[in-house]
Amino acid sequence: MKKIYLLFSLAFFILSCDNGKDKIILQSSVGKVNKVMVITKASDWAGDIGKEIRNSFGELMVGLPQPESLLSVSQVAPNGFGKMMKVARNIMIIGVSDEAQFYVKNNVYAQPQTIVYVYGKDREDVVKMFKKHEKEIIKTFLDSDASMLQNLFAKDKLDDTQFKTLQNLGISLTISNKFNLVDDTGDFLWLRQHLSSGIAKTGSNNILVYSVPLEDETQVADSIVSVRNKIGKKHIPGSDPKTMYMITEKAYTPFTFDAVIDGKKAYETRGKWEVKNDFMAGPFLNYTVVDKKNNRLIIFEGFTYAPSVNKRAFLFELEAIGKSMKIQ
């Protein structure tokens, strides 16, 4: 009887392993948001390959008051790419191989993890392959980080059904419960997270959500600044509400790009905000979503106040929250 039970258990174990190859438990990945570990030879990193990577990833993020790159990079030689390095969340392996290739793999050594592979037949070919796919590579890493943050926020998600504005607008967002309510009128929502790291402990990350009628779709992009200025004057006061309120910084022209939120046409605007007649200022990110079904524009805005520190990571968290929007 014991032999039969042992054989049955062994058979079950083998069958489970065979059917569960894709269920191997990987260790958790590590790494800061918007940071990429590049695996390549030191000689390649010092040459044209490394120069091209640094120039591409080092492009400055739009709308920040201090110069900050889209992605930070570090380099590790292939012979140094050992067990400890393999748990990095964002990795790019690039170099010379028998054939030119570009592909992406997820969760190879850890989870969540994104690994981009770029190969060329010689160094010149490697540079050519990287330049051909550089926009896709950057987008891959940024999207991966946004998804990671959304999954992280989902674990301690704020119950957004408690907010009248989100209920009235018929939308949901994956927001960390570190955000607290400032205002919720039913038409306008303001949430704030007090920052607690380093010198930024006096600062905050802020979320605004509201809607305006869709009047002329061809004029949406051109009206974004004027709409946010009206909202700032009405809802975001300074220390003297009569003379101080949030506006778009006049000395800096915001940049607007095409975007897609929840499958709908949208516009992403990045720029700087300031408080009129005061010295408070910082970066903002605005998603204006065209909701034709309900003849309206839904606006999500995130803005950061964090004096004297880099703000890329703070704004990227707001970006991840904005991109989590679901519209009924």
Side-chain angles (χ1 to χ4, degrees):
M1 187 68 182
K2 290 183 179 179
K3 290 183 179 179
I4 294 175
Y5 179 77
L6 181 61
L7 288 172
F8 177 79
S9 299
L10 183 60
F12 180 77
F13 174 76
I14 293 172
L15 186 61
S16 298
C17 291
D18 187 57
N19 291 337
K21 288 179 180 177
D22 59 342
K23 296 181 181 179
I24 295 173
I25 298 175
L26 297 171
Q27 58 183 314
S28 298
S29 59
V30 296
K32 294 182 178 179
V33 170
N34 304 151
K35 178 73 178 289
V36 179
M37 178 186 293
V38 178
I39 312 303
T40 192
K41 292 180 179 180
S43 56
D44 289 342
W45 184 248
D48 290 342
I49 295 174
K51 181 180 178 181
E52 196 63 45
I53 294 169
R54 290 189 294 274
N55 287 344
S56 180
F57 289 2
E59 182 181 341
L60 298 183
M61 182 176 283
V62 172
L64 296 180
Q66 296 104 342
E68 296 185 63
S69 61
L70 287 173
L71 294 167
S72 301
V73 293
S74 61
Q75 178 263 338
V76 174
N79 59 9
F81 187 48
K83 186 176 181 180
M84 291 183 64
M85 300 297 182
K86 288 182 178 179
V87 296
R89 192 173 65 253
N90 293 327
I91 299 171
M92 183 168 71
I93 299 176
I94 184 168
V96 176
S97 185
D98 293 336
E99 59 179 307
Q101 294 184 79
F102 164 77
Y103 57 95
V104 179
K105 286 187 176 182
N106 296 309
N107 306 333
V108 178
Y109 306 109
Q111 188 175 3
Q113 184 181 62
T114 299
I115 304 182
V116 171
Y117 300 82
V118 182
Y119 296 114
K121 294 182 178 180
D122 52 39
R123 290 180 176 177
E124 185 178 341
D125 197 30
V126 173
V127 172
K128 185 186 300 184
M129 284 293 290
F130 176 79
K131 291 180 71 172
K132 178 180 178 181
H133 297 283
E134 65 177 328
K135 290 184 178 180
E136 183 180 352
I137 291 169
I138 291 172
K139 185 177 185 302
T140 295
F141 286 128
L142 294 178
D143 287 351
S144 174
D145 278 347
S147 178
M148 182 277 295
L149 286 175
Q150 289 167 356
N151 290 333
L152 183 65
F153 296 155
K155 294 178 181 179
D156 59 0
K157 183 179 182 295
L158 192 66
D159 179 13
D160 57 14
T161 63
Q162 65 183 294
F163 302 122
K164 295 180 295 183
T165 300
L166 296 185
Q167 292 301 294
N168 292 344
L169 295 180
I171 67 175
S172 64
L173 292 158
T174 303
I175 306 172
S176 166
N177 61 15
K178 294 178 182 178
F179 281 85
N180 299 301
L181 178 65
V182 179
D183 196 9
D184 182 18
T185 67
D187 298 312
F188 172 84
L189 176 66
W190 181 3
L191 301 174
R192 175 184 290 149
Q193 174 193 4
H194 290 285
L195 302 175
S196 58
S197 60
I199 196 169
K201 62 185 178 181
T202 59
S204 63
N205 253 4
N206 298 264
I207 292 172
L208 309 178
V209 182
Y210 55 94
S211 174
V212 296
L214 173 59
E215 296 175 351
D216 183 353
E217 190 175 345
T218 64
Q219 298 300 312
V220 172
D222 294 331
S223 67
I224 290 172
V225 170
S226 62
V227 169
R228 75 175 306 275
N229 285 342
K230 289 178 183 177
I231 293 296
K233 185 175 183 179
K234 182 177 180 180
H235 292 286
I236 317 293
S239 55
D240 180 359
K242 292 182 180 180
T243 61
M244 299 178 180
Y245 46 84
M246 188 173 75
I247 60 173
T248 306
E249 185 177 307
K250 295 180 179 179
Y252 183 91
T253 302
F255 288 80
T256 297
F257 313 89
D258 291 337
V260 176
I261 300 292
D262 194 28
K264 294 179 173 57
K265 181 180 180 180
Y267 297 93
E268 176 184 311
T269 302
R270 293 176 180 266
K272 299 176 186 176
W273 62 271
E274 64 181 352
V275 175
K276 186 175 182 179
N277 300 319
D278 202 353
F279 298 101
M280 295 180 67
F284 75 83
L285 168 73
N286 177 297
Y287 286 114
T288 296
V289 186
V290 180
D291 183 13
K292 286 186 179 181
K293 178 182 176 182
N294 298 296
N295 197 37
R296 63 182 180 171
L297 300 174
I298 296 176
I299 293 94
F300 169 96
E301 180 163 317
F303 68 94
T304 297
Y305 177 64
S308 304
V309 298
N310 289 336
K311 301 166 182 63
R312 181 183 70 181
F314 298 138
L315 205 66
F316 192 77
E317 290 186 6
L318 296 171
E319 177 181 339
I321 293 171
K323 289 180 175 178
S324 74
M325 182 188 297
K326 300 296 180 185
I327 305 171
Q328 293 181 2

